[in-house]
Amino acid sequence: MTRHATRTSRSSRPLLVTTSLAALALIGSSCSFVGADGADGADGAGDAPTEEGSGPVVLLTHNDFSLPDEVVAAFEEQSGHTLDVRPTDGVGNLVNLVAEQAGKPSGDVVFGVDNTFASRVLGAEALTSYDGELPSGVATYALPGDDDGALVPVDNGNVCVNIDDTWFADEGIAPPATLDDLTDPTYAGLFAVPSAATSSPGLAFLLATIAEYGDDWPTYWEDLVANDATIVAGWSEAYFGEFTQGGSGGTLPIVVSYDSSPAFTVDKKQSATSTSALLDTCYQQVEYAAALDGAANPAGAQALLEFMVGPEVQAALPESMYVFPVVEGTELPTAWATFAARPETSYEVDPADIEANREAWLVEWTDVISR
């Protein structure tokens, strides 16, 4: 559901920030609590096709892809294919790699393309259709415009503003609830924001403000700057470095994070959490997997896609990659079911509009926050 707001008058003043136009090349750095090590994945294009039911499946992904060893072993046992994971630093770089290698990919499957970048790989004609059946609930997350069904939804989550409930209670200050509230002087100097130019959740938060304020979004950002928002390179810097509940002595009780984040700030008794997601500030992200056109192992690619929406992967997603499963009825960990509240509606921007305007929006955003 896309929401819009009327134009509002705002003021502005400068703020020192840690980003620049040069950072635009790093768009989309992915942010989860864990990661996986590996090679860049740019090599290997043009490998000879493998026999059906044998050979490795090469997975191109971001460097936060992580599944338990026993889940990977289950795929290899069930399919007869080994899994070769090749991470790339950031979703933006992953998408660029896939688009540049269209028709001659260095892998068989891509995972981690989200709805803010998916139209780029579709436009590059780098993908081929999935020929399997989708379990119940998965089609809900299909990307508009993907008429061939190439992108298979695997997980979802919402980028939301999070707050330190304990800090606000101790200070006797009513916490914010909406995007508008974040520009109120009550919250001056309390908000940590990952860069839209170098972070996937940072870009998602920018898109939320574009969905809310339309053409007036730069004025809203001028007000955030005027209210002493702290803008840092990525989600890890914002959450772990600046946020009061991030564990590193941060001093800011408001941060851009995820709707799942409160499930990780529960007490030892698993009876309460110290943080909340502001559910009126959320932008939905969906991650997709797809078989690559020209893949050396097309049979293995289809087998991996089927496995990614299977019960083993879907059940592992919350605790291994800190995202929600897309298959209906997948059981969540207790802390998630109790404390990871989800919004009834989320901000959305049409993928075609994102593709047409992303670079211009980021140039303007960088100009606004650098004044």
Side-chain angles (χ1 to χ4, degrees):
M1 175 178 179
T2 304
R3 298 180 286 190
H4 299 276
T6 56
R7 186 179 179 90
T8 306
S9 176
R10 295 184 171 90
S11 61
S12 65
R13 61 186 176 85
L15 170 73
L16 179 63
V17 296
T18 57
T19 189
S20 68
L21 280 172
L24 296 180
L26 299 176
I27 295 167
S29 178
S30 179
C31 302
S32 76
F33 285 74
V34 294
D37 297 326
D40 177 69
D43 299 325
D47 291 344
T50 63
E51 294 181 7
E52 186 172 351
S54 66
V57 180
V58 178
L59 175 64
L60 306 183
T61 185
H62 51 62
N63 55 8
D64 290 311
F65 174 84
S66 180
L67 286 176
D69 291 343
E70 60 269 23
V71 174
V72 175
F75 166 72
E76 294 181 339
E77 181 178 355
Q78 293 172 23
S79 69
H81 299 277
T82 57
L83 182 62
D84 179 1
V85 180
R86 301 184 185 180
T88 295
D89 185 17
V91 177
N93 289 330
L94 174 64
V95 168
N96 288 338
L97 176 67
V98 170
E100 290 167 2
Q101 295 182 348
K104 295 183 179 180
S106 59
D108 303 301
V109 175
V110 60
F111 166 75
V113 176
D114 67 27
N115 51 311
T116 65
F117 284 97
S119 56
R120 180 175 295 181
V121 293
L122 288 179
E125 298 183 352
L127 311 177
T128 189
S129 300
Y130 174 55
D131 60 15
E133 296 290 329
L134 294 177
S136 178
V138 177
T140 303
Y141 300 96
L143 184 80
D146 181 16
D147 298 332
D148 294 330
L151 291 161
V152 177
V154 174
D155 65 67
N156 75 102
N158 285 276
V159 171
C160 310
V161 176
N162 277 228
I163 59 171
D164 180 350
D165 295 307
T166 302
W167 188 94
F168 281 101
D170 289 346
E171 296 294 325
I173 300 173
T178 66
L179 292 177
D180 271 348
D181 290 345
L182 299 172
T183 64
D184 190 292
T186 302
Y187 310 110
L190 302 181
F191 186 26
V193 187
S195 167
T198 53
S199 150
S200 179
L203 177 59
F205 181 67
L206 170 60
L207 292 173
T209 66
I210 291 171
E212 174 65 27
Y213 300 104
D215 291 341
D216 197 41
W217 69 264
T219 311
Y220 175 78
W221 277 89
E222 289 172 1
D223 270 8
L224 282 183
V225 169
N227 214 32
D228 289 334
T230 296
I231 302 174
V232 295
W235 173 85
S236 294
E237 292 89 339
Y239 194 92
F240 292 123
E242 303 291 343
F243 188 42
T244 47
Q245 287 290 329
S248 299
T251 60
L252 307 184
I254 310 172
V255 67
V256 171
S257 194
Y258 297 91
D259 54 355
S260 59
S261 298
F264 297 94
T265 55
V266 296
D267 59 24
K268 293 182 179 179
K269 296 181 179 179
Q270 299 283 297
S271 61
T273 182
S274 57
T275 65
S276 297
L278 305 184
L279 300 184
D280 285 334
T281 67
C282 300
Y283 188 94
Q284 186 180 67
Q285 283 188 315
V286 179
E287 282 192 303
Y288 301 93
L292 295 169
D293 185 41
N297 189 352
Q302 294 294 326
L304 181 57
L305 292 178
E306 182 178 4
F307 190 76
M308 294 291 283
V309 291
E312 292 96 336
V313 170
Q314 291 293 300
L317 287 170
E319 292 186 334
S320 61
M321 286 192 278
Y322 302 93
V323 287
F324 287 89
V326 293
V327 174
E328 193 174 90
T330 303
E331 186 174 357
L332 294 173
T334 301
W336 284 58
T338 305
F339 300 112
R342 311 212 69 189
E344 292 185 4
T345 59
S346 300
Y347 288 112
E348 296 178 4
V349 176
D350 186 276
D353 290 340
I354 296 172
E355 182 62 18
N357 296 289
R358 183 192 299 107
E359 291 185 13
W361 285 338
L362 285 170
V363 168
E364 186 165 9
W365 177 86
T366 302
D367 179 64
V368 168
I369 58 98
S370 300
R371 292 172 188 167

